[in-house]
């Protein structure tokens, strides 16, 4: 099982609960790269506004990921997940091919339909038919990065003889995040991997969600295991001051206990575990890496 970590992006992800700068993002990415973890990931938002109206700012994800590509040597680089509404499909495919070249073939193109209305409304993006728009967008992106010359005349997206030149040197893996039936159908049709998030210790809910992927792959007539299951896992450093956790979905055990949790996820058949560390610091990344080594010992 591969193990990766989310990188700080904005809001309260930085030191002392403040906005992270590039130096903070790079430090966490380098800690993952140097401590034997498999991947680093960035969320994709303009901002987040909570129900009380409080604003949490965000850096632009793709720009940061390009910088991370040049600052690391071995970890895979993923988006968790790129919002289809923010960039048209042709541009997204072109960006993916270029970043995969810059990184030496380390990109995982995680994508989703988007969900946070306040950022859509602030930037003038349509909130209607998000999954319908995503369905067309995903087909164009997937076909282009897999080497096709694409002509597509849809309801929301139109391309004519669109092609990537230069073409990607390899098949860039596509990950889709979602759980409703239409998103699961699209995952089975176009994706190489699928994500469900966010959880604490593994339990029945995770197992049930993994079952929905198996059902979708079977319904699509695909071979079992053809879409890799990935899971988002929240891990809190128990040495940090406690914070409210009304949903009780953050794992805060010791390193040996964390190693047991990692092993339990592996036993469930998870292909790639994506950890959201709290706090997002090199020290927390090192704890995760130590637990991973203990799991494998």
């Amino acid at each position: 099982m591969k193990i990766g970590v989310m990188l700080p992006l904005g809001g309260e992800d930085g030191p002392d609960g403040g906005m992270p700068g590039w130096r903070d993002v790079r430090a966490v990415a380098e800690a993952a790269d140097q401590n034997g973890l498999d991947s680093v990931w960035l969320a994709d938002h303009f901002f987040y506004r909570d129900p009380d109206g409080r604003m949490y700012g965000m850096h632009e994800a793709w720009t940061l990921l390009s910088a991370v590509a040049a600052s690391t040597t071995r970890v895979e680089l993923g988006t968790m997940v790129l919002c289809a509404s923010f960039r048209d499909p042709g541009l997204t495919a072109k960006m993916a091919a270029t970043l995969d070249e810059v990184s030496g073939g380390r990109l995982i193109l995680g994508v989703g339909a988007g969900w946070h209305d306040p950022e859509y409304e602030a930037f003038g993006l349509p909130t209607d038919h998000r999954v319908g728009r995503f369905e067309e967008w995903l087909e164009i992106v997937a076909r282009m990065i897999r080497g096709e010359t694409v002509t597509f005349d849809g309801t929301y997206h139109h391309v004519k003889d669109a092609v990537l030149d230069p073409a990607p040197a390899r098949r860039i893996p596509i990950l889709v995040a979602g759980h409703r039936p239409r998103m699961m159908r699209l995952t089975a049709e176009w994706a190489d991997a699928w994500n469900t998030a966010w959880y604490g210790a593994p339990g029945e809910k995770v197992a049930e969600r993994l079952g929905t992927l198996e059902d979708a792959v079977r319904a699509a007539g695909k071979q079992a295991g053809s879409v890799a299951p990935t899971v988002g896992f929240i891990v809190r450093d128990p040495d940090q001051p406690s914070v409210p956790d009304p949903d009780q979905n953050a794992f805060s055990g010791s390193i040996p206990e964390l190693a047991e949790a990692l092993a339990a996820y592996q036993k469930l058949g998870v292909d790639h575990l994506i950890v959201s560390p709290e706090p997002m610091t090199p020290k927390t990344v090192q704890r995760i890496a130590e637990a991973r080594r203990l799991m494998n010992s």
Side-chain angles (χ1 to χ4, degrees):
M1 180 179 71
K2 294 180 179 179
I3 298 176
V5 292
M6 296 294 295
L7 299 178
L9 180 70
E12 298 177 345
D13 295 344
D16 302 318
M19 176 66 68
W22 161 237
R23 181 180 299 178
D24 306 308
V25 180
R26 182 177 59 196
V28 177
E30 290 176 344
D33 202 40
Q34 295 164 7
N35 282 276
L37 295 184
D38 299 293
S39 60
V40 294
W41 302 76
L42 279 168
D44 184 35
H45 288 284
F46 293 128
F47 62 80
Y48 175 72
R49 182 181 293 134
D50 70 19
D52 296 328
R54 184 178 178 186
M55 177 81 79
Y56 298 85
M58 307 279 180
H59 295 296
E60 199 283 314
W62 199 268
T63 307
L64 278 182
L65 199 63
S66 299
V68 170
S71 302
T72 55
T73 60
R74 43 164 301 280
V75 286
E76 291 181 288
L77 311 161
T79 45
M80 184 54 62
V81 284
L82 209 68
C83 180
S85 305
F86 295 172
R87 305 163 189 86
D88 72 61
L91 173 63
T92 302
K94 190 70 175 177
M95 290 164 56
T98 303
L99 183 51
D100 202 56
E101 169 65 23
V102 170
S103 66
R106 291 186 284 140
L107 176 64
I108 301 171
L109 183 60
V111 298
W115 60 275
H116 189 50
D117 283 353
E119 61 185 340
Y120 276 70
E121 293 161 356
F123 284 83
L125 299 171
T127 58
D128 65 307
H129 305 289
R130 266 193 284 244
V131 177
R133 295 174 187 275
F134 177 71
E135 182 170 8
E136 295 184 3
W137 183 95
L138 178 61
E139 178 177 343
I140 295 168
V141 170
R143 290 172 60 192
M144 287 186 68
I145 67 174
R146 291 168 184 173
E148 293 187 40
T149 298
V150 181
T151 295
F152 186 96
D153 188 18
T155 302
Y156 308 105
H157 296 287
H158 311 270
V159 294
K160 182 178 180 181
D161 297 331
V163 64
L164 293 180
D165 187 7
R170 62 169 191 136
R171 178 181 169 122
I172 300 170
I174 294 174
L175 175 150
V176 172
H179 67 274
R180 296 185 186 277
R182 286 177 68 191
M183 291 296 287
M184 297 307 298
R185 174 179 60 81
L186 294 173
T187 297
E189 183 174 3
W190 295 109
D192 303 288
W194 166 78
N195 180 260
T196 181
W198 293 95
Y199 303 96
E204 292 183 5
K205 186 175 181 180
V206 180
E208 290 173 2
R209 283 288 171 84
L210 294 173
T212 64
L213 175 64
E214 295 172 359
D215 293 343
V217 170
R218 188 182 307 112
K222 299 285 186 69
Q223 184 177 355
S226 60
V227 180
T230 78
V231 172
F233 178 34
I234 302 174
V235 173
R236 179 175 297 140
D237 185 341
D239 295 334
Q240 296 296 309
S242 61
V243 297
D245 184 17
D247 298 326
Q248 296 184 333
N249 63 347
F251 182 88
S252 58
S254 66
I255 289 175
E257 290 170 335
L258 178 55
E260 291 177 2
L262 298 179
Y265 271 113
Q266 186 174 41
K267 189 175 181 179
L268 284 175
V270 174
D271 181 78
H272 203 142
L273 192 65
I274 301 162
V275 179
S276 181
E278 296 181 1
M280 291 180 172
T281 63
K283 176 178 178 290
T284 309
V285 170
Q286 289 163 6
R287 289 186 75 256
I288 295 164
E290 186 175 344
R292 197 258 189 89
R293 289 190 289 270
L294 184 60
M295 178 188 75
N296 292 332
S297 63

